[in-house]
Amino acid sequence: MRSNIVTEAGLPTRIGQWWEGIPFLTSVVIIVCGAIYLLCLLAGYDSFEEVCFLPVAVVTRFQVYRIYSSVLFHGSLPHVLFNMLAFVPLGSELERIMGSIRLSYITILLATSNALLHLLIAALAAHIPFYPYPHFMNECAIGFSGILFSMIVVETSLSGAQYRSVFGLFNVPAQWYAWLLLVVFQLLMSNVSLLGHLCGILSGFAYTYGLFNFLVPGPSFYSSIESSTWLSTCIRRPKYIMCTGGSPSGYLPTYSNQNLSSGLLSGNVWRNLSSWMPQRETSAQSTGDSRFPGTGRTLASGRNTNASTINSDLSLQARLLDSNSSPDNTLNTEVVAGQPTLDGRRQVVENVAAADTGLQGHQVPVVSDVEIQKLVAMGFERTQVEVALAAADGDLNVAVEILMSQEG
């Protein structure tokens, strides 16, 4: 008689579940880099000097394409495997915070700034009057690791962690984490590009300190792209992450000034560019809090000091409950008719006409900090936990269902 034994999932099932948990852009980068290496391997292509970032070739022959080709090509199988496995947690975390389109723009921005810094430092080192060092001008850098170092700095800054673990062996202060990795990899692998990794760290710090704010477009730019018809196929993908909702400060440079967000490229230039793109029919968005990207949900002006807080909470609450609404947690909203949907995913623009009695009668459930900490300990973000508990009227079981449906 065969015993009733519950076996664990097989390796293909585990790999499939792991792959399904990787967001859209992160999986696209992995596929592109892996496919490029596989094609080079099958075709016997090993002339990486033609595609790597070679400062002397960029300066003398103006081969600007090397800025981006050097990121996608890798020199060996361990090289591409290590970079992509390191990119999975970093890219997934940042994509869930920023959204797929925003992270793609930030990745291109980091790749460009890394190359320009690399070129600048190499040129300065080659023309030092008392001790010129032309080696950097002839160094051939290739691989995704420069962007990885930039993302390490950005993710560490956004996480707010005080300490980071180095390979699970010991903890170091978070501000030294990227620098320590730079030294460790340089000691363990002598053929890696020191300048490429160093420029990645410098670009990451430049972004987190807001030095690139004038190059970062406003939320309306990403919303315009996501509302265009040519991106509808990507948006239908279940792993695609919209640039809407979430933490309002999660995608901004950590140390940036809010006033800089309306800089050069987030103003008229980007509005003109977005006007060239095909648009879906959408209703007018709120011009209130510019920190919240994407499709807006607005409340009428309240007569008490908590109106703005209720507006923000209801907006995020509506997004959490968008795919799991029930009679017990219905929002007092008026849905604008005629909005398109993409494969069952509702893209609804809500305009809440809150009367004085309705806004004054809205009672935000009082949730204890103990209940919030229970759900935060399960791995959910505190902002989403607070909104889910508010939507569930303090019921922990209902709040968990809401959070699990959002994670799915």
Side-chain angles (χ1 to χ4, degrees), residues 194 248 312:
L194 171 64
S312 300

PDB file of all heavy atoms in Angstrom, residues 194 248 312:
ATOM      1  N   LEU A 194      37.187  48.745 -12.177  1.00  0.00           N
ATOM      2  CA  LEU A 194      37.108  49.568 -10.976  1.00  0.00           C
ATOM      3  C   LEU A 194      36.407  50.885 -11.268  1.00  0.00           C
ATOM      4  O   LEU A 194      35.528  51.319 -10.507  1.00  0.00           O
ATOM      5  CB  LEU A 194      38.521  49.830 -10.435  1.00  0.00           C
ATOM      6  CG  LEU A 194      38.628  50.849  -9.297  1.00  0.00           C
ATOM      7  CD1 LEU A 194      37.884  50.352  -8.064  1.00  0.00           C
ATOM      8  CD2 LEU A 194      40.090  51.134  -8.965  1.00  0.00           C
ATOM      9  N   PRO A 248       4.214  57.940  -1.756  1.00  0.00           N
ATOM     10  CA  PRO A 248       4.450  59.150  -2.547  1.00  0.00           C
ATOM     11  C   PRO A 248       5.905  59.564  -2.578  1.00  0.00           C
ATOM     12  O   PRO A 248       6.323  60.286  -3.476  1.00  0.00           O
ATOM     13  CB  PRO A 248       3.607  60.214  -1.833  1.00  0.00           C
ATOM     14  CG  PRO A 248       3.460  59.711  -0.439  1.00  0.00           C
ATOM     15  CD  PRO A 248       3.407  58.218  -0.555  1.00  0.00           C
ATOM     16  N   SER A 312      -5.898  61.619   0.681  1.00  0.00           N
ATOM     17  CA  SER A 312      -4.798  60.724   0.346  1.00  0.00           C
ATOM     18  C   SER A 312      -5.143  59.282   0.691  1.00  0.00           C
ATOM     19  O   SER A 312      -4.873  58.367  -0.076  1.00  0.00           O
ATOM     20  CB  SER A 312      -3.533  61.162   1.095  1.00  0.00           C
ATOM     21  OG  SER A 312      -3.185  62.477   0.735  1.00  0.00           O
TER      22      SER A 312
END
